[in-house]
């Protein structure tokens, strides 16, 4: 009788876990699909003249595109152009993004790099 009670009480946490796992997996897959669709929309919206950042972190400007091949020509420096697939575009750079993202906060009192002791001689002091 003790064996019957012990074995019947342990099944519900395992059953609950087995029911919860498909739900969690479904939600994770759904989130990934939304992110992938948004990334593809950003890649398709990039046009000639747009400044972009590639997935490898290279900044450049789209100077030509070939919709049949799905490629773009990106100028990464004056006179230096590379041909790449459109899927290599990580994001388009807007003027508003640059100003907000790369803004320096020099008056932040918590920033240790902004408080430099002029009398220091590097990492070694005498």
């Amino acid at each position: 009788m003790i064996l019957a009670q012990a074995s019947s009480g342990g099944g519900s946490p395992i059953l609950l876990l087995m029911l919860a796992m498909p739900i969690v997996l479904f939600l994770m897959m759904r989130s990934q699909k939304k992110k992938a669709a948004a990334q593809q929309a950003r890649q398709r919206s990039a046009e000639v003249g747009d400044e972009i950042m590639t997935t490898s972190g290279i900044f450049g400007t789209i100077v030509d595109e070939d919709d049949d091949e799905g490629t773009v020509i990106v100028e990464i420096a004056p006179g230096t152009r590379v041909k790449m697939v459109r899927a290599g575009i990580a994001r388009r750079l807007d003027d508003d993004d640059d100003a907000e993202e790369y803004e320096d906060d020099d008056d932040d009192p918590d920033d240790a790099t902004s408080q430099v002791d002029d009398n220091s001689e590097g990492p070694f002091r005498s």
Side-chain angles (χ1 to χ4, degrees), residues 45-47 50-53 89-94 97:
S45 69
E47 302 173 335
D50 288 345
E51 291 185 31
I52 62 162
M53 182 180 80
I89 299 172
R91 65 185 179 107
R92 241 180 19 175
L93 303 177
D94 296 334
D97 288 346

Side-chain angles (χ1 to χ4, degrees), residues 1-4 10 27 58 63 65 88 92 95 102 118:
M1 184 181 275
I2 294 174
L3 288 175
L27 293 174
I58 298 173
V63 293
E65 60 185 329
R92 241 180 19 175
D95 294 333
Y102 301 108
D118 292 334

Side-chain angles (χ1 to χ4, degrees), residues 81-92:
R81 296 178 176 192
V82 293
K83 183 177 183 179
M84 59 180 283
V85 294
R86 191 172 276 277
I89 299 172
R91 65 185 179 107
R92 241 180 19 175

Side-chain angles (χ1 to χ4, degrees), residues 19-93:
L19 292 174
M21 285 302 283
I23 294 170
V24 170
L25 289 174
F26 171 76
L27 293 174
M28 288 173 51
M29 288 177 16
R30 186 172 148 208
S31 173
Q32 288 296 327
K33 285 183 182 180
K34 284 183 180 180
K35 287 179 184 177
Q39 177 67 19
Q40 288 174 353
R42 280 192 297 270
Q43 291 167 348
R44 284 191 303 269
S45 69
E47 302 173 335
V48 173
D50 288 345
E51 291 185 31
I52 62 162
M53 182 180 80
T54 66
T55 54
S56 60
I58 298 173
F59 293 90
T61 304
I62 298 176
V63 293
D64 194 15
E65 60 185 329
D66 185 355
D67 290 330
D68 295 335
E69 289 185 22
T71 59
V72 293
I73 305 294
V74 179
E75 186 170 36
I76 57 175
T80 305
R81 296 178 176 192
V82 293
K83 183 177 183 179
M84 59 180 283
V85 294
R86 191 172 276 277
I89 299 172
R91 65 185 179 107
R92 241 180 19 175
L93 303 177

